[in-house]
Amino acid sequence: MDASTTPQAATVKLLIGGQFVESQSTQWRDVVNPATQQVLARVPFATPAEVDAAVAAGKEAFKTWRKTAIGTRARIFLKYQQLIREHMGELAALLTAEQGKTLPDAEGDVFRGLEVVEHASAIGNLQLGELANNVAAGVDTYTVMQPLGVCAGITPFNFPAMIPLWMFPMAIATGNTFVLKPSEQDPMVTMRLCELALEAGIPPGVLNVVHGGEDVVNAICDHKDIKAVSFVGSTKVGTHVYNRASLAGKRVQCMMGAKNHAIVMPDANKEQSLNAVLGAAFGAAGQRCMALSVVVLVGEAQQWIPELVEKARALKVSAGTEKGTDVGPLVSCAARSRVEGLIERGIADGATLALDGRNPTVPGFEKGNFVGPTIFSGVKPGMSIYEQEIFGPVLCLAAAKDIDEAIEFINSNPNGNGTAIFTQSGAAARKFQEEIDVGQVGINVPIPVPVPLFSFSGSRASKLGDLGPYGKQVVLFYTQTKTVTARWFDDDTTAHGVNTTISLR
């Protein structure tokens, strides 16, 4: 990184106190189109003073925002969801240019975030306390859910629209202010979403944005005025964030890496199951924390491997802007090198390379970070391609003699983000959902991410912290429950005298 790199490129701004400002940083990074290597913009690594200024703006805005009527907050998010819908095409095009997803997948990225914005507009129904009347003579007890203060979010490169929209709308709707640190690899669509948020009516200082790497992440974790931190990203960074922010006394939720498995039973609908597996494995070039990276074929379903391979071979690899593209580029040259290195290790470890997606021919985009659909069979625990999250278009196939062996295989993996079963047997599906030790379960649904009415519920090594993003759980995460016990006396009430017990009477 060098401040003199590509000086002609536009600069990505910081958002502090309602103003988009130029960073004074001397550290910058290029935002690169992964299909062409074109430099789209330059993003700054914010200085400590700029992080402090963003937090200070949030702290000052919290004084009035926390008292803003809940209906006013809800109407802002009603307006915001309208603006996102009106700009869907623009947002998807930005996302595709900097991240590489196909345009339909980019629209899906924005849409899944939009669902959370719509959920935030219902905050009046979500942030309700409880009341018990006459818990003792003339005594009522009730709870109120009050905002915490300045909260922060650290988001990854793979969903630059959806995951920021998981975070700041729910935090702000519940009365908090927010400091967002998007991925430095693809911040442009996030910044456009922030522009629309201000247009919708979010007041100055309520939403702030800083950019950067490890130093900025650490500054967020350590800052005394930040009350809660939400993180989505790799297990290594997530563990660091959780430990550091927790030691600083903050609430923390970290959604981290995964190795998502699916079981395919021999009674499953073959055509639908194979199509679902391929979409979940190779969509977004496998760069999803919920990507289906391991399929356990049970019994006779193992005979479907040749058909699965031929279907995968027919998928189109190209830039996300090209019509009919199924698999776009990986986000960076480094990501491509890492995936290709893991493919080499899979071969060395003894797995069978049924389909090699390295070095695909992509006319017109020869400089792109492309890896085509890749399939290994005979994959076993201990192999690098099984133990590591590849985060690329690589599908691992394992075998099991029956459902019990398949469930044991999945439960032995430390991760618990998502899992699925493909079957036409209600008994098998129920056995699976009861016995599988994974937080999010799909039955004939390959990527079981819940809609915002429910909470994202990854588990085990895929999650640190008790409460997940969006849904009911995130309202608890971003609020402090205060319990009030109250008694009011009439002027003519007869006094009971001094009570030295803990009881109410």
Side-chain angles (χ1 to χ4, degrees), residues 28 65 87 89 142 159 191 196 227 235 239 298 315 321 326 374 381 400 457:
W28 295 76
W65 180 246
H87 292 82
Y142 54 94
F159 284 92
M191 296 308 295
L196 295 176
K227 305 301 181 183
T235 296
T239 302
V298 175
L315 296 177
T321 52
D326 298 300
T374 299
S457 53

Side-chain angles (χ1 to χ4, degrees), residues 373-403:
T374 299
I375 297 177
F376 280 100
S377 62
V379 174
K380 296 179 174 60
M383 294 181 175
S384 298
I385 54 173
Y386 182 75
E387 299 298 331
Q388 296 189 39
E389 186 176 22
I390 300 173
F391 230 61
V394 180
L395 175 62
C396 298
L397 303 179
K401 66 177 185 296
D402 55 33
I403 189 172

